[in-house]
Amino acid sequence: MLNNRTYIICLAFILGFSSCKKFLQESPNGLITNTNFYQTDDDAITAVNAVYSAMRPDMALGLPGIYLTEMISDDGTMSPTATQVGERLELENMIYSSQHGIIKTVWTNAYVAINRANTVLKYVFDSSKIRPAIVRRVRGEACFLRAFNYFRLVQLYGDVPLVLTPSEIGVSNLSPSRAPVKTVYDNIISDLEYAEQNLSDYYNYNDAKNGGRATAAAAKALLGKVYLTMAGYPLNDISKYQLAADKLNELIVNKSSYNLDLNTSYSKIFSAVTATKAADNERIFYSRGTSGMAPDYQAFTRMKSTYLQFKYAVPSKDFLPYTTSSSVGQYFPISGGTELSSIEVDDAITSSIPIGFSFNFGGVLYDSFYMSSNGFISFKNRSAAAPNISSATDPIVGPLMDNLNGTGGTASYLLSGTAPNRVLTIEWADWRWKTGSIVANNISFQVQLYEDGRIQFNYSSSTPAVNSAASAIGVRYPNSYLAFKNTNTTGGFNWVASNSGYSSTVNKFQYDNGDSTTQLTIAQNLRSVYEISDARRTYTTDFLGTVINKYSDAVNAGYNDNADDFIWLRFSDVLLMYAEALMEIGGTSNLDIALATINSIRKAHGGTAIQDLTYTTQDDLRQKIRLERRRELAFEGHRWYDLKRWNIIVETIKANLSFQYNRPQSYYDFLNDNVKVLPIPYAELANNPNLTQNPGY
Amino acid sequence: MRFLFIYRKCLTVFVLLTITILTPCSTLLLAQNGALKVIGTVKDAKGVPITGASVKVKSQTKGVLTDSKGEFKLTVQNERAVIEISHVGFEMQTKEISKDRVFNITLIATATDMEDVIVVGYVTQKRKDFSTSIANVSTKNATEGGYSNFQQLIGGRAAGVMVSETSSEPGGGINIEVRGAGSLSFSTQPLYVIDGIPFEPPNLNLTSNTNVGAVVGNNVANPLSTINPTDIESMEILKDAAATAVYGSRGANGVILITTKKGKVGKTRVNIGFNQAYVTPQRFEKMLNAKDYAVFADEAWKYRQYVGTYTSATLVPFAESEIDSLKTYDHQKELLRVAQSTDANVSISGGSPMSKYYLSGQYFYQPGIIPNTSLNRYSCKFNYEATLSPKLIMTANISVNNTERNGNATSTLIGKAKSWAPNSPFINPDGTFNHLSTYLYGYGNGYYNDSIYGSIYYNPRFPISTILASNGTTNSNNPLIYTSSRGVKNINSSTQILANVSLSYSISNALKLTGTMALTQFNSILQTYIPISIVPTFGTQKGDASVGNSQNRSALYQLNLSYRKSIRLHSISLAAVASAEKYTSETQSVGSSGFTSDITSFYSIQSGAVPGVPKATYSAFQLVSSVLQGVYSYNGKYILNASGRFDGTSKFSGNNKYGFFPSAGLAWKIDKEKWFKIDKSIISELKLRTSFGIVGNQGISPYSTMSTLSSTYMVYGNSTANIGYYPTVLANPALKWERTQSFNGGVDASILRDKIFITIDAYSRLTKDLLVNVTPPLTSGFTSYTANLATMRNEGVEFSIEAKVIDGKKFRVTVGGNIAFNRNLVEKLTGAAGEYYNPSEGAIGTGGYITRIEPGKPVGQFYGYNAIGIWNDSTIKTKATTFMPSAKEGDRRYADLNKDNLLSDADRTYIGSALPKYFGGFNLSVSYLSFDLSSFFSYSVGSQIFNTYQISYGTMSGSSNIRKDIFDKRYRVIYPDTDPKLIDAIRANNQTTKVSVAGSTLEAREATDYYIESGTFLRCRDVTIGYKLPNKLLKKAGISSMKAYINLQNLFMVTNYTGLNPEVSSRGGLVRGVDDGSAPLSRGLRVGFNANF
């Protein structure tokens, strides 16, 4: 080498260069190198900014992390109308392998953020050039973000490599082996403890330089979550329940100093309006939606396109309040029923008539009904007759809502069967279906109320057809309705269920052979997560399917512009975790506080229509808290972690898939304890000989 | 700026040197007193007077130059004086005065004017004296106007040089690989040296700043497409390290020497060439017609219902009654066209012994076979050589090219045309772009939720007005959007200036000092605009404009001291060279979106409401070198070549900056030996060659050894961006050159009175310290770093033959051919036990890799699952439940190699090789009287291709169009209502997968041998028929010669490959033979003439 240099120096002499060394020096004019950085306050702050921005790819891609936690769990499923990218279907059907792209992306992104945090922690330390307050704050943020990412990793993958120094060739070990879950948690706790002591209590939402940074409140909330998780599966360290309760209680007791509180309106938490977001005190740690900015700055959240446009995830069947079906069958008229002659006229309604059993309609039990001559029954007194229910807000079941006339017809009802399979049949026989001033043909139809909550509409023949196309068929719950439309314009029926309108083009109920009838069945979904009047039901159902509209950003047009923030930690979560911890610790006073806590959330977010909960045993309360947690935090990326913590993930997923695809549970027996952790990405195993794979992958 | 300072200093030195050189010259011209007067004339061998020849008294500086008649007058002191007569290009003569006073001197031209010499490195060598492996590429056809592009010129002509035309797009890409892969992660492309100056093709990928990049496939021109082939005098491919070592750190992948035409002494010659070409695509693929497509779609719908994914309300199938009335649109034919290109060039050359010039101009217009794609090139070149004094020669080579490339990436557009539903037109009846690429609800990114039907597609059932209503608001994949004049604009204009000037001073007869300064400037601007009518994939802003500039500059300063002497049987050429080079590359780009009018497009970025983030980049590297090169020949029998080069580069750090690259070669001309008794009429020439050399590759990016930080953005409380800095590079300070050592042995023989000429070469190349882009464990937070780790060997044999079968005066037939065998072996990666490396570029679907690199195996090996047919009605029942748990009848079945009843990574194996067993080309020329026919074929045997094309157009996803042959063999599911009589026939035909739920895509395991096909091919690259017009006729018109020709390019291809082009692009050195959408090559008919005046 010396020789080479000698020659080069000779050459330099020939060319008259004063120094060849200088000529061969690199000048990366457009780049910063780590030797001239980390010198000033701004350097330190921009370095930690880049840790936050490492979380951006997760957001920009429509939250790969959400796919994992929602699609694998029983909350989200794939829309049949969405682009069925194989990978998402693999998550949905639990057939992913270690080569799964999203599983790798989540792993990669977490470690990119961790490496950036490690870089900050290595280079930003007490020095004369950076103010001590900035050093502490920046280090606190880096610690929080490192803990945040390790917490995700350790839950998703189990034992993971614990890398705590920035990656530098020749300095650090690039091929780490996996650290036990417990060790990872210990580091998360120490990082969060540093963060909670050194970070600000809160920042204003609109603070241009700080709104959305990690705060002491965020560190405490995450620490509480970490303790709660450690108390559950797989560590089962139940001593942590008390630590969790205490840590979370620090936020609850001092909520005003952390600028925290329950938002009294559930929907406002997910608003895209800046002022509304600024007024929300639920937010503890969130990523900001950045609509309207240049694309390079943008796209922290793409939740709207994920949930609404592409329907990558939609609610599973668990969330549907009812299921509908139509069929062709025979019409069996009532014989021996109780006749209600008071409505065998035009525009009349009966007084209260007993059902004979308690009928669950929209989550409310009714014992009596009112029958109208205009083709519906109501569960509330409608003695002031209303021929059309479109203005009503009452619970109504309408097999044929039109301007009907009972003159000459027979109205009757009949209770049959034995408990718990009793059926109440209500019949309008030979009823006049008139159009305008013309008195037209007679029609017979029935409503059947089954004790299990099912409702069935049956129609007899009507010949010939009436001229009217205006009629309404459907049911109305207190704040939701379901209508049926016949989309066939020529003979026959093609019923679709819809909540977009009542009017239908039905003008007769007759098949060509004259005997058959069309039947519509509306079954209550007994697994349904929400009580029908729960205001947290943030999804909509129409005949194209059900979509999640929790992040629907009504402010910005289009799907890719999303001003909704994605909220990682919020106050209701803190309250729910607090309730869970207390409930698990047990003792009447703890259980009572836990119950009061979830009732406070129900009241604030579910609306006044829903009732306060009560409990009988600790396990009863446990189930109620878990259900309440699912209701409150649905589609926010918590469910998978919750199911794992409660150690009910395998049976829940099996049951969900079996329900989803209508297959026996045994079909999914290939799912076992192995699914409690994801596979270590294949590429990672290939590149790091010190890693081992999780069992089963 | 440090460099600027040095630069100035260097320039000063250069000028000073030049002045120093000039001083003796000027004194030379001063008259001196003397006693005797002598006169004379100097002529060449043909009797043409030589102007400007130097006549002087030996060992004195005084002398005179001959005048325009070749005459001189000189005063000498006495009769003992000896005069020396010399001129560049001629052997020097000495004459004793004695009694003579009048001299008639005939100078003999030196070898340098003969056609078979070439400057290799820094020394002029006779071709016959090469001791290294150097292949000459005939440029005859280019000279006569047969080719308009460099790509066509070089294709497959030399043994061991694999040339793949990766695109038929005007100005599209080319891949050249000399003697197998030389590098793993970095470029395997050779170094181009144009008139002695290394040419670094600039990287232009940085210049787009569109907000919605996904819409536009930005396309920039291949820098080599700027070269005018008619300017090329000769082209040599240096294959072995002994030949390329003189290019040191850049010679590892071979060197292509391009020498441009120079003026020649004599009358002014004017050459005019003109041709017109008509180009069509060479191949089309047979896709489904509308009727088959409707059947296909309905089967998908039926299957969907069967598996219960969809309810009947969400989809409307084709009714049986309407299937027959569907109209078929042949989208490939709609998209592609016959393109007519024009090439006109003029050159003027000539000169006197004092000054020689070559001047040329070309206009070349080549439209692509896809509308709105084109290459427009204006180029001019000026080569000048002036003899300022007998000892001082100045040369200048300047070329300026202006290239405008228009259009978007072709291959993806052809792909889109193929997958577009055949019942759905590109253009709606009202003239607007259609957006519905499939019949299906929810597909083609564009659909219309009709309140009644839920979906709209081109189906007779739906009125046109309804369809149009669905078209207004969606983004589209319609290929015409990119190809019509109202569509997406993508224009790359570049100006390239290559200039080098040199001054050469003969210190003595043997010693010459040459100073050269070469400047290259490549300026390029990329302009893109997406009109308002096309809604981009990302973001909501309509109308998106971007302008990107790049400036690539290079400067080279070189001093060359050369010594050339023949003493009796010994002749020696030596050169000592010092050079310094600097390469700078800068880019700037701006963009905006949210336009309200399309009128101004990218000419008015400020008219977009939402500005993009402006960007600028800078990168530079420097190289300092000193070279010693020499050729020694004894009696024309033994020839020794040797060179040593020291390179210092800025790209590496510390001691790794410097490298030494030596070489030596020996040639033995056996036929010159006295004992060689074989009759000259049998063997007229026999030469043995052997050589050894070490070369380097420094193809990494500058700053790779530094830990650099990049900026990013973070938004906090309100809509302003906060800057963040993060480490971007996992820096490896220990990086150094790749070093390739290579042995070469060869034989050249001329047999049967020079009728047959044979060259055989065998070589072994060992590349150590290969720079590899290593994927570190992702826990590092990085996805890549660079390290010198691997070792790779290439060994091979090359054989070429040229035979004059018939060599009559009227009738001549020449055949020639070459064949090359190369064996590649990766000997080491990092050295860890059991290691292998999966290049991520080869990912199929997501998460699956298709290639694997492993010690003990060659590069280019496919790795994946063995496909063993389809799960049929009987095998699905006996399948283990754990094996492919979600598989259904009609899904592809994979082999469970390790028999563990799980389909896992362990079931993958080597499934094919992308490397050919042998490849080459052959030619046949026939001439009779004034007619001549020449043809050229290339072939490659034994390679395999992973046809991702087939995945795209053979996946029965029930939405986009697919290939007919795949459809015909599809697996038809036996439903309960299937006619029992048909079941056996259906099962017999069930070979490919079933028509599946629309939109369902591959599982990640589709890295399977099912998609591997043979890449063997024989291609007729070109056939030219020429006719020389009779001289008598031409003389009257003042034309000295004229030739008319018809040239057919890519006339036919013989291959079993089902894709469009078996010469698939290799995605760098690692992932080879993966066809992910190369466009078909163009078949062209070219008619033209070439005339000399």
Side-chain angles (χ1 to χ4, degrees), chain A residues 5 23 32 49 80 682 684, chain B residues 3 310 622 655 709 716 905:
Chain A
R5 225 187 275 168
F23 180 73
I32 288 177
N49 285 349
Y682 172 75
E684 196 67 342
Chain B
F3 187 74
Y310 284 65
Q622 299 90 269
N655 275 343
L709 284 82
Y716 296 109
D905 300 335

Side-chain angles (χ1 to χ4, degrees), chain B residues 306-329:
Chain B
Y306 181 64
V307 296
T309 324
Y310 284 65
T311 62
S312 59
T314 58
L315 190 88
V316 188
F318 290 91
E320 263 180 58
S321 58
E322 66 200 14
I323 286 180
D324 283 332
S325 58
L326 289 173
K327 186 178 176 200
T328 296
Y329 298 89

Side-chain angles (χ1 to χ4, degrees), chain A residues 79-81 84 661, chain B residues 303-311 314 997:
Chain A
S79 163
T81 53
Q84 295 199 3
Y661 290 110
Chain B
Y303 183 70
R304 184 178 297 110
Q305 279 198 310
Y306 181 64
V307 296
T309 324
Y310 284 65
T311 62
T314 58
V997 177

Side-chain angles (χ1 to χ4, degrees), chain B residues 127-262:
Chain B
R127 285 215 172 83
K128 288 191 171 180
D129 289 351
F130 287 160
S131 62
T132 55
S133 182
I134 297 176
N136 173 250
V137 175
S138 168
T139 52
K140 184 168 162 280
N141 251 329
T143 305
E144 291 176 352
Y147 302 117
S148 301
N149 258 345
F150 177 81
Q151 286 96 312
Q152 296 161 339
L153 186 62
I154 195 165
R157 311 269 164 171
V161 181
M162 185 137 69
V163 178
S164 327
E165 269 188 75
T166 55
S167 146
S168 65
E169 293 156 40
I174 184 173
N175 255 313
I176 299 180
E177 204 170 88
V178 179
R179 289 184 165 175
S183 186
L184 282 172
S185 297
F186 294 95
S187 174
T188 56
Q189 298 299 300
L191 172 72
Y192 294 89
V193 176
I194 302 172
D195 287 328
I197 310 297
F199 173 75
E200 296 253 338
N203 175 14
L204 303 174
N205 292 330
L206 301 164
T207 47
S208 168
N209 194 348
T210 171
N211 288 337
V212 283
V215 173
V216 186
N218 284 305
N219 240 351
V220 292
N222 166 18
L224 291 171
S225 71
T226 60
I227 297 172
N228 175 2
T230 53
D231 285 337
I232 298 176
E233 173 79 41
S234 71
M235 187 148 61
E236 260 72 30
I237 302 172
L238 313 188
K239 296 194 285 192
D240 68 350
T244 63
V246 76
Y247 296 100
S249 60
R250 288 172 294 182
N253 295 324
V255 176
I256 295 183
L257 295 182
I258 295 169
T259 311
T260 60
K261 288 175 182 165
K262 307 285 186 301

